[in-house]
Amino acid sequence: MDFIKQHRIKSGKKVDLSEMETRVKGPFADKSAAKAFTAETNDAIRELQYRLFVEGKQSLLVVLQAPDAAGKDGLIRNVLGQMNPQGCRTFPFKVPSKLELSHDFLWRIHACTPAKGMVSVFNRSHYEDVLVVRVEDIVPKQVWSERYELINHFESLLRSCGTRILKFYLHISLEEQLERFGKRLENPAKHWKLNLGDYEARGKWDSYRSAYEDAMEKCNQQDAPWFVIPADHKWYRDAAVASIVRQTLEDMDPQLPKIDVDLDEVRGLYEREQVKLNDETK
Ligand code: ATP
Ligand code: MG
């Protein structure tokens, strides 16, 4: 199945999240089939990421946005965090600090974009500045409404420097979210996640939906696409994102560098060292 084709938001089209499914099985017969697919895909991603790192010419930025409990952390644990940490870093973006707020909204974001050869995963991102900031009225409309264009310019800048951008919205239903909140309540090890603000945001579900729809519509350039991933089944979410990352890395086609040493010469040196070692250990 082509997960990119399936979940990519078409540019220039109105986005209506209420029309998009949250509970999807895709090509998978069951959970274990999806998990096997994800494990295999993760292996391929690791191999491609190794090439990306060694090549050192291109980079990948993965943006994760979602309502609370939609599974950003799980996705990072099961898929994105499976890459070699030497070439991949995750950046959570929380409420901005005083210092961050004294700069433009992209300042803290730009500092975390991937260098050549690297992958950056954004757990929340610059999109919060047209989502929570808009819904909670943190800055006037005149300020946030100009940000869509600024974001498009910013993402074009990154693209022009060889950064591929994938933006994922993890799409869960209100029912599934409440069930997950309930599980957090039952499990003392998850009590630290309990947050009154999460319940407040549920009350503003429609406003958040509209803000997401606008962001996906206005900031969906050809080379920085949005994907809506059905996320009620955690295993489908992981499999779909893994597949899209894999396909993208395959398309980037990172190459191991051409060698500029004489293989015969190196072989000669190697054999000489072997002989020396043998002589010494006799
Ligand atoms: P979890 O799903 O585990 O709760 P989380 O990503 O929600 O993880 P939290 O520490 O609960 O992490 O929340 C971070 C908070 O920071 C979110 O409510 C988010 O909306 C807020 N935030 C992020 N960026 C901004 C921003 N630019 N302006 C205002 N608030 C922001
Ligand atoms: Mg939270």
Side-chain angles (χ1 to χ4, degrees), residues 68 124 184 193 195 198:
D68 289 295
R124 301 188 185 271
R184 286 181 180 179
K193 284 196 170 192
N195 181 353
D198 292 353

Side-chain angles (χ1 to χ4, degrees), residues 131-156:
L131 294 166
V132 65
V133 164
R134 161 175 158 168
V135 175
E136 304 299 336
D137 244 336
I138 295 173
V139 301
K141 179 171 184 184
Q142 194 212 330
V143 174
W144 60 253
S145 59
E146 283 175 358
R147 290 182 173 168
Y148 301 104
E149 204 186 334
L150 293 169
I151 289 174
N152 283 337
H153 284 307
F154 172 64
E155 292 181 356
S156 294

